[in-house]
Amino acid sequence: MKGDHQHKMNKYACGCAIVASMISIIFGYDTGVMSGAMIFIKEDLKINDTQVEVLAGILNICAFVGSLCAGRTSDWIGRRYTIVLASFIFLIGAVLMGYAPTYAILMTGRCIAGLGVGFALLLAPVYSAEISSPSYRGLLMSLPELCISIGILLGYISNYVFSHLSLRLGWRMMLGVAGIPSLALMVGILKMPESPRWLVMQGRVGEAKKVLLLVSNTKEEAEYRLEDIKVAAGIDASCTDDVVKIPDDKKGGKGVWREILRPSPAVRWILLACIGIHFFEHATGIEAVVLYSPRIFKKAGVVDKHKLLLATIGVGLTKTCCILVATFTLDRFGRRRLLLTSVGGMIVALATLGFSLTIAEHSKEQILWALCLSIVATYTFVAFFSIGLGPITWVYSSEIFPLRLRAQGASLGVAVNRLTNAGISMSFLSLSNAITIGGSFFLFSAVAIVAWCFFYFLCPETKGKSLEDIEELFTRKSSNNSADIELKTKDQLSSS
């Protein structure tokens, strides 16, 4: 059987995916560090809650723009150079935020960093998907989410370490040090190969074959992977030319938006699954916990600033450890099983958090059991999110699109992801003031129930299938659904 030799992970492919995923550490750091930095920024720059919400959410609004640009850019200049561009954008944003004498300059730096986030969130999983074999694709594609969690944890630690500096210097150091890994990544990424699938889409088949020989365990594996990619790109599988002219309708970026806006039944289902999973990742409240955990713990009864930041580090540790577990189990248990288990646990944890915060908020004195239950429920929610919905969102949405639609289709998912993230991060304080903080988490629990039903009915298993075979999975199921509808119609007509 042709996939028998794929079980062993290729070390070179793993190394490339790790380097590409490092850009996600920078993004995670920017997200995590802002949760603690906002406490000091508000005090130093004398800003109100509305300005805090805008500062927190503007990153994602700009990331929405960046993600829409990233798909076309990566089809134009390649996956590798687009990651370099994203690193450079991050660097400029970090320098401006670290300098930031005023709120306006701080916002400018945050906006520029947001553009880099949009590029990073698309490119890291897409690049990882395109260099990996089906047997370990889940592991490599979950590395970006693992790196985001590592970045968030480093941001929380940075909050605690730099909080001991002066008010004026502390938060600027928290935000400015993100420029250091950006420089390192710009150098490291240039030593990596380009995506073999992108090379084939440009007609550079000979170069693609050389890359596949590096990221495959055997020559035979490289050959059949190249054959699958050539077929998907509209090239004759028996063609041995190093440079091939690609049909216009198969070139990356050519007519892609037309096909996305007027999709076939299979592509429509893929789009629905991609947009749905990205929407529910943040609509279930993870950003509220990651970004506003110090406020949540304060509502629960933790008052001291340093204790608040230490409790927040626990959120980062939980997230990182659980995503590490998910990274090594995705290819064993499959996407669907972990996803449904994850969201089921989130429903219970969110309802528990809503209950405990409601008790704590309406009590005239501190209730120890409500405080402890709030912290446990927060960590439990983060844990369940991190073993399934967090990493699977990026794995699933990057692997289900056909080759010709992958970059721009995935960019549409990322755009929805960032808009939803922005909506939550920019409205959570207002929402919690309107319906109480406990009520907010009851609402997130209700959304999680809808998410579980969506995943159960609309997200088929993709474990172990090649990227080229996954399109057939959705095509076959769409055809079966159409056939069922046609059969029912015929039965109704004959009975009448």
Side-chain angles (χ1 to χ4, degrees), residues 146-443:
L146 174 62
C147 288
I148 289 173
S149 296
I150 292 171
I152 289 172
L153 175 58
L154 291 175
Y156 290 158
I157 294 171
S158 173
N159 285 155
Y160 184 74
V161 171
F162 291 123
S163 68
H164 294 87
L165 298 178
S166 67
L167 177 63
R168 182 175 176 77
L169 180 62
W171 66 264
R172 290 179 172 86
M173 287 294 295
M174 294 174 192
L175 299 175
V177 294
I180 298 172
S182 300
L183 274 174
L185 183 59
M186 286 171 64
V187 175
I189 207 78
L190 291 174
K191 299 189 179 296
M192 289 165 44
E194 184 51 84
S195 157
R197 287 179 168 85
W198 181 82
L199 290 170
V200 170
M201 292 300 290
Q202 307 307 306
R204 294 154 62 179
V205 180
E207 292 178 57
K209 184 176 181 180
K210 290 178 182 177
V211 175
L212 284 168
L213 287 170
L214 290 172
V215 300
S216 301
N217 289 321
T218 65
K219 185 178 179 181
E220 290 76 16
E221 180 188 343
E223 290 286 353
Y224 81 70
R225 286 177 67 182
L226 181 61
E227 184 178 313
D228 283 346
I229 298 169
K230 285 196 292 187
V231 170
I235 303 172
D236 189 336
S238 61
C239 176
T240 57
D241 296 340
D242 285 346
V243 179
V244 179
K245 181 173 174 56
I246 303 295
D248 286 341
D249 63 334
K250 293 287 185 179
K251 284 184 179 178
K254 298 285 187 179
V256 168
W257 284 115
R258 191 184 312 117
E259 189 170 352
I260 288 176
L261 294 174
R262 295 181 179 178
S264 64
V267 172
R268 187 182 301 118
W269 187 2
I270 290 170
L271 279 169
L272 182 61
C274 173
I275 290 171
I277 198 168
H278 274 288
F279 171 78
F280 284 119
E281 183 189 22
H282 289 289
T284 48
I286 187 62
E287 196 68 12
V289 171
V290 169
L291 203 53
Y292 295 108
S293 51
R295 285 180 180 251
I296 293 170
F297 294 137
K298 190 172 183 178
K299 285 285 186 182
V302 181
V303 180
D304 182 77
K305 262 184 196 177
H306 296 298
K307 287 181 180 178
L308 281 174
L309 295 177
L310 277 175
T312 303
I313 288 174
V315 172
L317 277 171
T318 303
K319 196 171 190 299
T320 303
C321 292
C322 290
I323 285 185
L324 192 59
V325 171
T327 298
F328 291 99
T329 55
L330 263 174
D331 291 315
R332 181 184 304 172
F333 298 121
R335 286 57 159 155
R336 183 179 165 84
R337 186 187 300 177
L338 281 176
L339 191 57
L340 294 175
T341 303
S342 167
V343 179
M346 288 165 58
I347 293 168
V348 176
L350 284 166
T352 305
L353 183 57
F355 169 74
S356 58
L357 286 174
T358 300
I359 296 296
E361 191 172 19
H362 288 85
S363 174
K364 294 181 180 179
E365 56 185 29
Q366 189 182 84
I367 302 176
L368 185 59
W369 68 264
L371 168 60
C372 294
L373 188 60
S374 297
I375 294 174
V376 169
T378 301
Y379 289 176
T380 303
F381 167 68
V382 170
F384 273 106
F385 173 86
S386 302
I387 64 164
L389 184 56
I392 291 171
T393 294
W394 302 99
V395 174
Y396 201 83
S397 61
S398 297
E399 69 184 358
I400 59 178
F401 279 101
L403 174 59
R404 65 190 178 280
L405 306 178
R406 184 165 301 130
Q408 294 189 52
S411 76
L412 189 61
V414 173
V416 171
N417 185 287
R418 292 300 91 193
L419 277 181
T420 311
N421 191 314
I424 298 298
S425 57
M426 295 177 80
S427 66
F428 179 71
L429 294 182
S430 301
L431 180 67
S432 60
N433 288 334
I435 63 173
T436 74
I437 193 167
S440 301
F441 285 103
F442 281 127
L443 179 61

